[in-house]
Amino acid sequence: MNHSSAHTIADQAREALYSLASPERAAVLTRFFKTGPGQYGAGDVFIGVSVPDTRSVLRQMNDYPLSSLLPLVSDPVHECRLCGYLALVKAYDKARDEARRREVFEWFQQHREGLNNWDLVDLTAPNIAGRYLLHRDRSFLRTLLCSPSLWEQRTAIVATLTFIRNGDFEDTLKFSHSLLSHPHDLIHKASGWMLREVGKRDPDVLRGFLDRYASVMPRTMLRYALEKFSPGERAQYLNHKRITPLL
């Protein structure tokens, strides 16, 4: 897919994805990603392409301008958006200097509307936003955390995975504290996941957070955070007297 036309690149990626589509898999994905009315993925469209097959299409895409990804990340089909955002991560991976990394990050900032399901967020937030902001001002993430959008809030907390991997836990703990009263299970899962990652690197830091907040943490967040603890310690925190957090 080494073509100069942005639309040609997007069209060829779409054609390749549709050639790999499976109606049976699409039906499974439609249920798995909760696309029914009132569900978090309401209205999303799947054609039934597996992630490995999507990555095989991505491997054919080389030397593409970022503008060529816009038709993909704005496509109504989930697998097309996934391919576009994976291509953006690939562009960040291949960036050879700070100017190029900044270009990719700013493009991500400007074209994140298509990040409307958890898999898209989780693949891009740490690999673009987290990596770029590791040693920079993180006010962008704090802005996302205060957004009314579930997906922008999830982007903020999951982006901290990169910080955790580099021994920096401060924003994960602050963001998780801010999300204690969040109403949505997908945020509880994301925060609990990030806290578990902190605990894998420094269990005492996680214990300090749990000692203060276990009694008010959403049950799902707490269970995710405790997954690597011993059964006895998990039971100790799970049996804390439960207090409903103030909204």
Side-chain angles (χ1 to χ4, degrees), residues 17-231:
L17 290 167
Y18 273 88
S19 73
L20 297 165
S22 161
E24 294 79 14
R25 188 182 295 115
V28 172
L29 293 172
T30 295
R31 292 191 298 271
F32 182 73
F33 284 99
K34 309 296 185 185
T35 64
Q39 295 182 307
Y40 63 73
D44 206 352
V45 177
F46 288 83
I47 58 173
V49 182
S50 69
V51 173
D53 281 346
T54 302
R55 290 188 182 277
S56 73
V57 173
L58 177 66
R59 285 193 290 273
Q60 301 173 51
M61 299 173 61
N62 295 292
D63 303 321
Y64 43 85
L66 296 184
S67 60
S68 69
L69 304 181
L70 185 56
L72 290 174
V73 302
S74 57
D75 197 285
V77 171
H78 186 100
E79 291 93 338
C80 291
R81 296 198 308 283
L82 174 61
C83 187
Y85 283 116
L86 285 174
L88 190 63
V89 172
K90 182 178 178 179
Y92 195 96
D93 290 343
K94 296 177 67 176
R96 296 184 178 273
D97 54 48
E98 286 302 299
R100 177 60 170 174
R101 284 187 277 272
R102 179 178 179 179
E103 180 186 10
V104 175
F105 172 69
E106 290 181 347
W107 202 93
F108 170 82
Q109 284 183 296
Q110 295 162 12
H111 302 290
R112 60 183 190 273
E113 296 86 358
L115 295 170
N116 59 358
N117 220 312
W118 57 265
D119 62 324
L120 304 175
V121 169
D122 295 356
L123 286 165
T124 56
N127 292 314
I128 299 176
R131 287 162 73 185
Y132 185 76
L133 298 174
L134 178 60
H135 301 299
R136 293 180 174 87
D137 176 79
R138 300 171 186 175
S139 55
F140 170 65
L141 296 184
R142 291 189 285 274
T143 298
L144 295 186
L145 193 71
C146 297
S147 166
S149 164
L150 168 70
W151 305 118
E152 295 206 332
Q153 293 168 337
R154 187 169 173 115
T155 296
I157 185 65
V158 175
T160 70
L161 179 59
T162 303
F163 310 156
I164 297 167
R165 287 171 172 165
N166 285 271
D168 180 351
F169 310 140
E170 182 177 358
D171 281 326
T172 303
L173 300 177
K174 287 181 178 178
F175 291 4
S176 295
H177 176 258
S178 297
L179 295 169
L180 286 174
S181 297
H182 198 283
H184 206 290
D185 190 59
L186 280 177
I187 295 296
H188 303 166
K189 291 178 178 178
S191 295
W193 169 26
M194 292 304 105
L195 290 169
R196 181 175 73 239
E197 292 297 320
V198 169
K200 285 162 62 175
R201 289 155 180 84
D202 193 330
D204 288 338
V205 171
L206 176 55
R207 288 187 184 100
F209 186 91
L210 296 174
D211 288 344
R212 294 188 66 183
Y213 302 116
S215 64
V216 297
M217 287 172 70
R219 201 68 167 178
T220 298
M221 185 190 297
L222 181 58
R223 287 189 179 279
Y224 269 58
L226 291 170
E227 280 184 3
K228 297 298 181 181
F229 281 9
S230 69

Side-chain angles (χ1 to χ4, degrees), residues 211 214 222 226 230-241:
D211 288 344
L222 181 58
L226 291 170
S230 69
E233 197 165 14
R234 283 202 304 271
Q236 178 185 346
Y237 283 112
L238 287 168
N239 290 331
H240 273 199
K241 182 178 180 181

